[in-house]
Amino acid sequence: MNFYLNGKPVSHEGDPAARLLDVLRDDFDCKSVKCGCKEGECGACAVLIDDVLYNSCCVAMGSIEEAHVLTLEGFRETKQFAALSKAFGELSAVQCGFCIPGMVMASHALLLKNPHPTTDEIREGLSGNLCRCTGYNAIVNAVENAAKEGDGLW
Amino acid sequence: MEKISQSVVKKDHAAKMEGRSIYVADYNTAKDGRKILTGKILHSKTARAKVLSVSVPDLPEGYFYVDARDIPGDNNVNIVLDDMPVFCRDTVEYIGEAIGMVVGPDAKEVDRILSGINVELEELEPVLDLRKSTEAFFNYEYGHGDLQKAFAEADKVFDEEFETGYQEQAYLETQGMMAEPEDLDRMFVHGSMQCCYYVHGAVKRVLGTDNIHILQDVTGGGFGGKEAFPSILATEVAVAARKANAPVRCVFDRREDMEYTSKRHPSICRYKAAVKDGKVTALDIDVIFNAGAYSTLSAVVLQRGLIAAPGIYNVPNIHVTGRALKTNTSPCGAYRGFGAPQTFFAIELLMNHIAQDLGVEPLAFKEAHLVKQGDPTSTCGEYHFPVPVQDMINEIDAVCDYRKKRKEYAKAQEGRFRRGIGMSMYFHGAGFTGSGERDLIKAVTRLHKYPDGKVEILASNGEIGQGLRTTFCKIVSHELNIPFDDVFFEHPDTARVPDSGPTVASRSLMTVGELLRRASVQLKEIWKDGEEQEVEERYKEPDFLIPFHLDKFEGDAYPTYAWGVNAVELEVDTLTGVAKVLGAYGNFDVGTPMDYNIVMGQMEGGLLQGIGYSSIEKMDYDNKGRIRNNSYSDYLIPTTKDVPNLKCLLHVEKYPYGPYGAKGAGELPLVGVPGAYVEAMEQALGKGHRLNHAPFTAEDTLFEIMKEVGK
């Protein structure tokens, strides 16, 4: 299986039915990708595949041939990430941190599609990512701030 | 805003934001580079049975089966009483109980071995109906005044029963623990936990040696769920690692976690009230909690629930009884609020119902009964400090127009959508119940100054998302007047830090934070540039306290109280039963916030968990004792879309014995939400509906509406 991981061409030999989540964590050491439920419900393992948000626990390796997979390991090197990190930091939107990698990838996916989302659109865009700590206000406000201050990055 | 309250970027922000934090599942190898074996538990599939035999298939090389026979010390997990075993004894008492553990290098092979194990059982009749349970782990009674006289003289007597269900902590990171045998037979255990010294005590007893140390890894949420359960899992992996003489890690999958680990106690509360001249003169309260199969933390959970049972109302005659009853189900334990949400729900609804019966607006009725500074508490202690609840009610009214909406929605509502608004008020007793802090915990903290002027905090409290690594450092840097960046607080390892107690009971900041502030004062006095210095501070009970006697439930159960007022406004779709939360409001007094954003994050997160507890978070077991709602598909927690209008206010009433006036904060915002939610639901449904349980789901709404059709 050949695909691109965080911009670099990689290949993986193994079961095409293996979960992308497990392969990313175990074979490519992408430990930012968290396993919260393995049933596609919590969003902790969310990554971008060709700029679209997926729960990597529900993606079979056989389906990503030639696709571009982006995890936080790659995204954290970007200016877009820096804008999100600043906004999350200023509002202390990160508590236990376990949902955060997925939440950040979901925020990025949303802003790629819609660089100037309304509050409701942000809530819709992040609705597949569970957070048990924050009550979501700080996260939603942070994404709103990042979209404003990072204007032009998406 | 005071300087200490001004928000900073959290110490753990960058690592968590960048996905670089290492949670227990993220280690590639053990500390010494060895491969980590995977451990998986052989869970009981039967609620109650004698275990006759366990047949394990032939094990490939490098694989082990571990059970109670491998325990070198005592097969008891050190919690409160000695009943919870590490691995089962002669019987299993709930579905999920650990019979044994299979460990080995390949997770799939471990699964294969597990599925090949044959457990021969003699099934016994399980006790599943809480009302039919006769075995009380704990049984308490207290009261004061003349109940008989009050009931004899009453104009009217009310008698109602209230029920609440399970609540699952649903932290995003499941339970996980790893044990690594080190040189010289030393066992190193680390993982996701709130209380490293609780785990230390448990592992020490089970291994029969003090040659151990426990480290808290980065922990993906706790909410009480990682207070006691980690002690169980830690002992299991420690025994396995000892047998295999190799590092062993066990990380629960979501279904194991939801089904088999501790959650909030379901409750049935029966309240009888005597009313004379428009006032409640007596309360006779009986509380039962479903403890599950082993006692774990139920004693202390029940104590807190019983102390809160009369709510924040001044009732001269009270009598409270309570029992934590055994059923053959997963042992319940700590969850944010710790027994109090159940009884506050009951008293809040009871007060509403009495008021409605008397033809009085519930809010005015509650206001007429509010406790004030100097009043006795339910346990004949004293509210030593101002009770700001009336001001808090007025502040929340100003934000959500409560009184006006309450009147408006009281008018007859017809048609598909109906609206309602409700309000609840409550406290959270800050810190440990009773004399636990003085007699059991005896917290010790240290500050270590390095020659370069950096100061390290040595305490056993854990960052679990609540911001402790930041707020502790803020307190020390503020008192020492040194830069925030020069103070640091790592995740605690019992090899390095003194026992400053567990991360529970909203105590860390108020109690340990104050010790750190005092340690900082000490360090400031002896500070010498360029030198390595250390100071220590120990807990001393404030001298204003009326000593608490648990045998009589008498005295100050808490030094002070954090106060909360909630309002919930909702709209019910009578066709689908679905309720839309139009607004969830909280006004919270947790004293001086040690960091505005962090405190608001706690309040908002707790309030939303409370909305979940009130509405969609439904969990139950079937007639075999199996919990059916064991995934995020079957046990729903709120998403970004559920409560877009969630607003919190802070009302600051400083506590002179907390650091800069801070009180306990973390648990408060969840405690009283169901009372407000269900009152709003009652008003929305109108037509005389009297509700008495939480969660109140869409299905419950439809059942209520069907009653209208029947009329």
Side-chain angles (χ1 to χ4, degrees):
Chain A
M1 224 92 56
N2 297 307
F3 65 105
Y4 295 85
L5 177 58
N6 295 322
K8 292 183 189 121
V10 292
S11 65
H12 179 255
E13 284 174 25
D15 185 357
R19 297 168 194 266
L20 176 59
L21 163 66
D22 295 334
V23 173
L24 287 173
R25 283 181 60 84
D26 299 341
D27 298 315
F28 293 99
D29 202 24
C30 291
K31 291 297 195 310
S32 82
V33 186
K34 300 298 181 208
C35 174
C37 69
K38 262 196 179 180
E39 300 185 357
E41 288 286 351
C42 77
C45 67
V47 300
L48 268 62
I49 302 174
D50 294 334
D51 287 348
V52 177
L53 191 70
Y54 284 88
N55 288 325
S56 61
C57 67
C58 293
V59 174
M61 285 307 295
S63 69
I64 61 159
E65 184 74 43
E66 293 304 321
H68 287 261
V69 175
L70 181 68
T71 72
L72 189 51
E73 279 78 4
F75 181 57
R76 69 190 175 205
E77 308 299 331
T78 66
K79 283 183 183 165
Q80 295 149 324
F81 172 80
L84 281 165
S85 180
K86 182 166 177 284
F88 274 61
E90 283 170 356
L91 295 182
S92 310
V94 178
Q95 291 195 27
C96 87
F98 204 80
C99 76
I100 288 298
M103 201 64 89
V104 170
M105 298 317 290
S107 305
H108 178 50
L110 165 71
L111 294 171
L112 279 175
K113 265 197 304 195
N114 180 358
H116 305 287
T118 64
T119 311
D120 284 349
E121 286 166 345
I122 295 171
R123 285 190 177 267
E124 179 73 37
L126 303 182
S127 62
N129 293 73
L130 296 176
C131 163
R132 191 58 157 169
C133 296
T134 62
Y136 302 108
N137 280 8
I139 291 174
V140 171
N141 293 338
V143 173
E144 201 165 353
N145 290 351
K148 275 182 208 142
E149 290 184 28
D151 193 18
L153 291 174
W154 280 278
Chain B
M1 196 189 297
E2 291 188 33
K3 191 171 170 241
I4 188 90
S5 304
Q6 289 167 17
S7 297
V8 298
V9 175
K10 292 170 75 177
K11 289 275 186 193
D12 51 353
H13 169 75
K16 285 177 173 173
M17 187 77 193
E18 292 165 11
R20 295 183 203 270
S21 288
I22 302 296
Y23 299 78
V24 65
D26 297 336
Y27 291 97
N28 285 324
T29 64
K31 201 172 56 173
D32 59 8
R34 278 192 289 176
K35 183 175 169 61
I36 304 163
L37 304 185
T38 296
K40 293 198 181 188
I41 290 177
L42 175 67
H43 296 284
S44 169
K45 292 176 180 161
T46 310
R48 187 166 172 240
K50 258 189 205 164
V51 181
L52 303 176
S53 68
V54 178
S55 319
V56 181
D58 287 341
L59 296 170
E61 202 191 327
Y63 290 80
F64 301 86
Y65 175 73
V66 185
D67 67 12
R69 293 165 298 181
D70 299 303
I71 295 171
D74 178 4
N75 187 14
N76 275 303
V77 184
N78 204 57
I79 300 175
V80 175
L81 294 186
D82 286 344
D83 62 342
M84 178 87 215
V86 179
F87 295 111
C88 75
R89 301 188 186 95
D90 302 336
T91 62
V92 284
E93 300 290 330
Y94 67 96
I95 290 179
E97 181 163 355
I99 298 170
M101 184 185 257
V102 174
V103 302
D106 182 64
K108 279 190 185 133
E109 182 64 12
V110 169
D111 278 332
R112 196 191 63 77
I113 296 166
L114 263 181
S115 63
I117 294 179
N118 185 32
V119 183
E120 198 188 341
L121 298 169
E122 180 189 325
E123 287 205 31
L124 303 167
E125 188 63 37
V127 177
L128 298 173
D129 184 348
L130 177 59
R131 289 174 197 272
K132 288 186 184 150
S133 170
T134 52
E135 189 178 345
F137 289 127
F138 306 100
N139 192 341
Y140 300 121
E141 179 174 10
Y142 76 92
H144 55 78
D146 189 340
L147 211 71
Q148 248 183 336
K149 186 163 176 271
F151 274 96
E153 292 175 354
D155 300 333
K156 193 157 186 187
V157 171
F158 293 80
D159 185 344
E160 262 200 88
E161 201 171 83
F162 304 94
E163 275 193 74
T164 61
Y166 279 123
Q167 188 181 18
E168 159 60 32
Q169 293 86 358
Y171 32 64
L172 264 284
E173 182 208 25
T174 57
Q175 304 272 357
M177 206 61 73
M178 182 162 151
E180 307 183 21
E182 294 177 326
D183 292 345
L184 305 170
D185 280 337
R186 195 178 201 207
M187 188 62 77
F188 172 40
V189 181
H190 57 99
S192 190
M193 66 180 78
Q194 294 177 218
C195 315
C196 58
Y197 269 99
Y198 280 2
V199 174
H200 190 105
V203 172
K204 173 182 165 179
R205 188 162 172 194
V206 167
L207 293 189
T209 171
D210 203 11
N211 195 17
I212 60 171
H213 65 118
I214 315 294
L215 166 77
Q216 183 215 10
D217 281 319
V218 179
T219 296
F223 317 114
K226 291 171 184 170
E227 174 172 350
F229 194 82
S231 294
I232 302 170
L233 192 55
T235 54
E236 290 160 351
V237 294
V239 171
R242 183 178 174 275
K243 180 167 187 175
N245 193 26
V248 172
R249 171 169 58 196
C250 177
V251 177
F252 273 15
D253 69 33
R254 181 59 60 184
R255 286 177 185 248
E256 275 181 301
D257 195 297
M258 282 200 168
E259 219 177 315
Y260 307 145
T261 74
S262 64
K263 30 202 130 270
R264 190 186 306 289
H265 293 69
S267 73
I268 301 171
C269 298
R270 185 162 180 194
Y271 277 58
K272 288 182 206 163
V275 175
K276 189 171 174 59
D277 301 330
K279 291 286 273 276
V280 179
T281 54
L283 286 170
D284 191 1
I285 300 166
D286 183 57
V287 174
I288 54 175
F289 280 178
N290 187 343
Y294 294 105
S295 64
T296 65
L297 288 165
S298 290
V300 263
V301 173
L302 181 62
Q303 288 163 20
R304 192 177 273 275
L306 296 183
I307 289 163
I312 61 168
Y313 307 114
N314 213 336
V315 177
N317 306 289
I318 61 167
H319 176 240
V320 181
T321 52
R323 293 167 308 290
L325 298 174
K326 174 172 176 170
T327 61
N328 293 100
T329 57
S330 282
C332 286
Y335 188 160
R336 203 174 201 168
F338 211 68
Q342 292 92 321
T343 50
F344 273 117
F345 173 68
I347 184 68
E348 287 299 288
L349 280 198
L350 178 77
M351 292 295 277
N352 295 342
H353 294 169
I354 296 173
Q356 281 165 6
D357 193 87
L358 298 177
V360 187
E361 164 54 35
L363 177 56
F365 187 66
K366 289 178 184 176
E367 285 172 328
H369 287 81
L370 283 179
V371 295
K372 57 184 190 308
Q373 186 177 15
D375 281 351
T377 64
S378 65
T379 56
C380 300
E382 188 183 322
Y383 292 105
H384 294 280
F385 302 100
V387 177
V389 175
Q390 185 63 61
D391 290 343
M392 293 168 69
I393 292 169
N394 295 340
E395 287 157 9
I396 216 165
D397 181 44
V399 169
C400 71
D401 238 348
Y402 182 83
R403 291 186 176 96
K404 192 178 146 211
K405 283 178 179 161
R406 181 82 194 166
K407 261 187 211 155
E408 193 184 318
Y409 299 154
K411 294 172 193 157
Q413 298 185 61
E414 296 301 332
R416 179 170 163 183
F417 298 97
R418 303 180 199 164
R419 289 182 174 196
I421 193 164
M423 189 181 280
S424 60
M425 51 209 71
Y426 51 95
F427 62 58
H428 188 72
F432 262 94
T433 299
S435 54
E437 203 68 65
R438 182 194 67 201
D439 298 339
L440 302 174
I441 302 302
K442 301 172 186 167
V444 182
T445 58
R446 289 191 203 111
L447 290 179
H448 190 95
K449 176 169 87 62
Y450 293 88
D452 63 1
K454 295 250 183 358
V455 175
E456 180 175 9
I457 292 168
L458 298 170
S460 61
N461 304 85
E463 166 73 60
I464 53 174
Q466 85 284 45
L468 217 52
R469 287 185 69 193
T470 303
T471 46
F472 270 6
C473 291
K474 282 182 79 174
I475 289 169
V476 171
S477 89
H478 189 86
E479 193 63 48
L480 284 170
N481 198 21
I482 60 173
F484 175 64
D485 289 345
D486 285 357
V487 185
F488 64 103
F489 174 41
E490 301 297 340
H491 285 271
D493 181 333
T494 57
R496 294 194 65 234
V497 302
D499 187 356
S500 60
T503 313
V504 303
S506 306
R507 69 179 285 278
S508 299
L509 203 71
M510 181 181 86
T511 305
V512 183
E514 173 62 10
L515 294 185
L516 292 171
R517 191 194 63 78
R518 285 180 4 212
S520 306
V521 172
Q522 263 196 67
L523 180 59
K524 203 173 176 178
E525 278 169 15
I526 60 161
W527 185 286
K528 280 191 186 139
D529 283 335
E531 279 187 25
E532 193 147 348
Q533 293 175 291
E534 192 164 288
V535 292
E536 184 177 283
E537 195 64 48
R538 288 169 179 270
Y539 177 76
K540 286 181 213 79
E541 193 167 73
D543 45 19
F544 68 84
L545 279 177
I546 301 167
F548 186 77
H549 300 283
L550 182 61
D551 51 339
K552 292 181 282 188
F553 271 69
E554 217 173 86
D556 279 325
Y558 307 100
T560 192
Y561 299 84
W563 300 95
V565 178
N566 289 134
V568 175
E569 182 183 7
L570 47 80
E571 182 177 78
V572 180
D573 182 341
T574 56
L575 189 66
T576 62
V578 173
K580 185 169 151 191
V581 176
L582 301 175
Y585 306 89
N587 193 358
F588 302 111
D589 165 31
V590 296
T592 312
M594 288 300 93
D595 183 291
Y596 180 80
N597 282 346
I598 287 176
V599 169
M600 283 304 264
Q602 288 293 294
M603 299 303 114
E604 291 168 351
L607 177 53
L608 191 61
Q609 279 184 7
I611 295 286
Y613 181 42
S614 312
S615 57
I616 54 175
E617 295 188 26
K618 170 96 176 162
M619 179 176 274
D620 208 347
Y621 48 79
D622 63 14
N623 60 4
K624 302 280 186 209
R626 176 178 297 281
I627 286 175
R628 303 305 300 270
N629 319 76
N630 63 0
S631 71
Y632 283 131
S633 319
D634 295 318
Y635 182 80
L636 305 178
I637 65 170
T639 70
T640 47
K641 298 273 282 175
D642 289 303
V643 190
N645 183 25
L646 181 133
K647 287 202 173 86
C648 293
L649 314 172
L650 297 180
H651 180 107
V652 178
E653 194 63 61
K654 289 187 179 187
Y655 173 50
Y657 296 81
Y660 310 109
K663 301 193 266 201
E667 290 168 279
L668 177 75
L670 188 151
V671 170
V673 186
Y677 184 92
V678 176
E679 189 190 12
M681 183 63 81
E682 234 172 33
Q683 190 183 39
L685 293 175
K687 303 180 198 247
H689 288 286
R690 287 289 165 91
L691 312 181
N692 58 5
H693 72 269
F696 201 84
T697 63
E699 289 80 357
D700 291 320
T701 299
L702 291 180
F703 281 128
E704 279 297 317
I705 289 168
M706 278 162 66
K707 287 184 197 165
E708 289 176 20
V709 179
K711 271 179 193 168

